Amino acid sequence: MICGFRQRADTTDKTSRRSGVKRFPTMMLRVVAATLIVFCSVQMRSAQAGALTRASAAYARGDYVGAVNVLTPLALRGDANAQAFLGFMYGNGFGVPQAYDAAADLYIQAAIRGNPFGQCMLGLMYDKGHGVPQDLILAYKWLNLAAARAPKRERDYYARLRNAVASKMSPDQIVMGQRLALLWAPGRQ
């Protein structure tokens, strides 16, 4: 069987040589495939960035339905920025009926992916009990993570929100919230 396969492969090679068709070496195929994958992923990222820009522009001009229409496919594909933005739209009823459950689900997805805005908003949802059971320890955890991961211009605001939640907690609860934040890693709830 193996010999028969070799004969056919050899025959194919001879036929290819006679017809002037050269075979692409396997290594070259792998390089081309890898290049295409990188190119496509860069194109997808820039397309997603363009879509987020379009959604922000639609939101800024008050076209909330247009923003939701742009954000929804991105959020379904797992874009954490789109999930957090769309969660905000659902949480406030912009372009969609206000739905705390949907907002919380989107914030959870964004928070798990490490999006600081999603983490902050999820913390606030836990603080108020909107779309999730009220839980000050989880509120503190997510707000603490948001403050730690946010860019400098947002970090102080997130820290103030975390401290406001901490003012309602016992020292033991704060320690538990800090421990949960320390144990958290992107991709884990």
Side-chain angles (χ1 to χ4, degrees):
M1 190 68 135
I2 294 175
C3 293
F5 177 73
R6 280 192 186 147
Q7 283 179 329
R8 278 187 235 134
D10 291 342
T11 307
T12 305
D13 286 343
K14 288 177 190 172
T15 308
S16 297
R17 281 188 219 129
R18 274 189 237 135
S19 67
V21 176
K22 292 185 180 178
R23 295 182 60 138
F24 232 171
T26 306
M27 184 56 86
M28 185 60 96
L29 282 174
R30 289 183 183 151
V31 170
V32 169
T35 304
L36 279 173
I37 290 170
V38 168
F39 177 74
C40 289
S41 67
V42 167
Q43 291 291 69
M44 283 176 53
R45 276 191 223 118
S46 64
Q48 287 176 339
L52 285 171
T53 302
R54 285 195 317 275
S56 293
Y59 177 83
R61 67 177 178 271
D63 180 10
Y64 302 135
V65 173
V68 167
N69 289 337
V70 171
L71 290 170
T72 300
L74 292 176
L76 290 173
R77 286 195 298 265
D79 184 292
N81 292 324
Q83 290 167 335
F85 195 170
L86 191 58
F88 179 79
M89 303 290 280
Y90 272 98
N92 293 288
F94 294 135
V96 291
Q98 186 176 34
Y100 290 134
D101 291 345
D105 288 342
L106 288 160
Y107 288 145
I108 287 169
Q109 292 173 42
I112 288 171
R113 287 181 172 79
N115 181 281
F117 179 72
Q119 291 171 335
C120 175
M121 296 307 291
L122 181 59
L124 294 176
M125 298 289 273
Y126 275 114
D127 178 42
K128 300 297 179 198
H130 292 170
V132 292
Q134 187 174 22
D135 187 330
L136 295 178
I137 294 170
L138 288 177
Y140 184 91
K141 167 195 167 180
W142 288 113
L143 288 166
N144 200 23
L145 286 168
R149 300 176 64 84
K152 177 136 179 64
R153 66 183 183 277
E154 298 163 3
R155 190 174 305 138
D156 292 338
Y157 177 67
Y158 293 164
R160 283 195 308 268
L161 292 173
R162 178 202 59 209
N163 294 341
V165 169
S167 70
K168 302 183 238 178
M169 300 169 67
S170 72
D172 288 340
Q173 289 176 313
I174 293 171
V175 168
M176 288 175 59
Q178 289 172 338
R179 183 173 293 131
L180 288 175
L182 286 171
L183 294 174
W184 181 82
R188 291 187 8 205
Q189 214 169 7

